Amino acid sequence: MNLVKKVLKSRPAIAFAASFLVTMLIFAAFGYAPFGLKSVAGADANIQYLDLFAYLKDVLAGKNSATYTMSALLGGDEVATFAYYLMSPLNLLVVFFQKSQLPIFYDILLALKLSLSASSMAIFLKQRFPKITGKFRLFLAMSYAFCQYNIAPVLQHPLAGRGVPAAFNLAGYIPTSCGRQEKRLLLTDHQHRLQYGL
C-alpha cells in the first residue's frame, strides 16, 4: 500500500496523469475519439497505419503471420514492416479494440505516448537538475510532451521520418537515455582527470 501511495505522489506519475488528462480534455473539447467521431489519425495514418493495426490484431489473434502474409498485394515478407512499425509494447493494447474501433485506439495510443514522454522527462529532470522545484519540473515535463516535435508528425504524416512508429516511440525514452549517457560522460571525464592529474 505504501508503494502505491509513493508512486501516486511521485512527479513522473503526476506528469503522466496530468498529460493524459490534458490530452483527453483536448479530445473531448474538439470532438475527437473516444469522445467524438473525429480522430487524429489523418492523412496517411487513416489509410495506412490503421491498416497496420488491423494486421497486428490479426497476427495476435493467430489469423495472420508476422513473417509472411498474402494480404499484402500478391504476398510478401512482413518482418521489416512488423519490426519497424508494430513492435512498440503499447501496440499490444490493440487486442482490447475491435477493428471498427481502431481510430479510437490510435487516439488513446497517442495520449499514452505523450504521457509516457512527460513521465520520462520528469525522471530525467529530477536526476539531472535536482534543484528544480517539483511544480516547475512538472511544467517542463508536460511542455516536452506537448512540444511540436511530438505533435506535428502525428497530425501530418505519421509514417514519414520521425513519425509515430519511429521517433515518436523514442520520444518517451530520449530523456532517460540522455540521463544515462550523461552519467557515462561524467564518469569518463572524471577518470580522464584522475589519469592526467587534472
Side-chain angles (χ1 to χ4, degrees), residues 57-159:
K57 187 166 179 59
D58 286 345
V59 169
L60 294 174
K63 297 177 184 175
N64 214 330
S65 171
T67 57
Y68 190 88
T69 182
M70 289 301 290
S71 62
L73 297 175
L74 297 174
D77 182 14
E78 290 296 312
V79 174
T81 301
F82 195 83
Y84 184 72
Y85 294 110
L86 301 172
M87 289 302 290
S88 171
L90 292 176
N91 290 348
L92 295 176
L93 296 173
V94 76
V95 298
F96 299 111
F97 295 84
Q98 297 174 359
K99 287 186 180 180
S100 62
Q101 297 173 320
L102 288 178
I104 297 171
F105 170 69
Y106 187 89
D107 290 3
I108 291 173
L109 186 66
L110 168 65
L112 287 172
K113 288 183 179 185
L114 290 174
S115 302
L116 283 173
S117 63
S119 183
S120 67
M121 179 54 88
I123 292 169
F124 170 71
L125 291 171
K126 183 178 181 181
Q127 292 173 353
R128 175 63 180 92
F129 304 103
K131 294 181 181 179
I132 294 178
T133 63
K135 290 179 183 177
F136 189 56
R137 192 180 313 134
L138 177 64
F139 170 75
L140 291 174
M142 289 183 66
S143 297
Y144 174 74
F146 295 108
C147 72
Q148 176 75 6
Y149 181 83
N150 288 340
I151 302 295
V154 177
L155 300 177
Q156 293 172 2
H157 192 294
L159 299 179

Side-chain angles (χ1 to χ4, degrees), residues 19-82:
S19 297
F20 192 81
L21 181 64
V22 166
T23 306
M24 288 295 132
L25 287 173
I26 292 169
F27 288 169
F30 292 100
Y32 286 99
F35 305 104
L37 299 176
K38 297 189 285 185
S39 175
V40 293
D44 285 348
N46 194 25
I47 58 174
Q48 288 177 319
Y49 212 70
L50 295 181
D51 286 344
L52 288 173
F53 282 135
Y55 164 69
L56 176 63
K57 187 166 179 59
D58 286 345
V59 169
L60 294 174
K63 297 177 184 175
N64 214 330
S65 171
T67 57
Y68 190 88
T69 182
M70 289 301 290
S71 62
L73 297 175
L74 297 174
D77 182 14
E78 290 296 312
V79 174
T81 301
F82 195 83

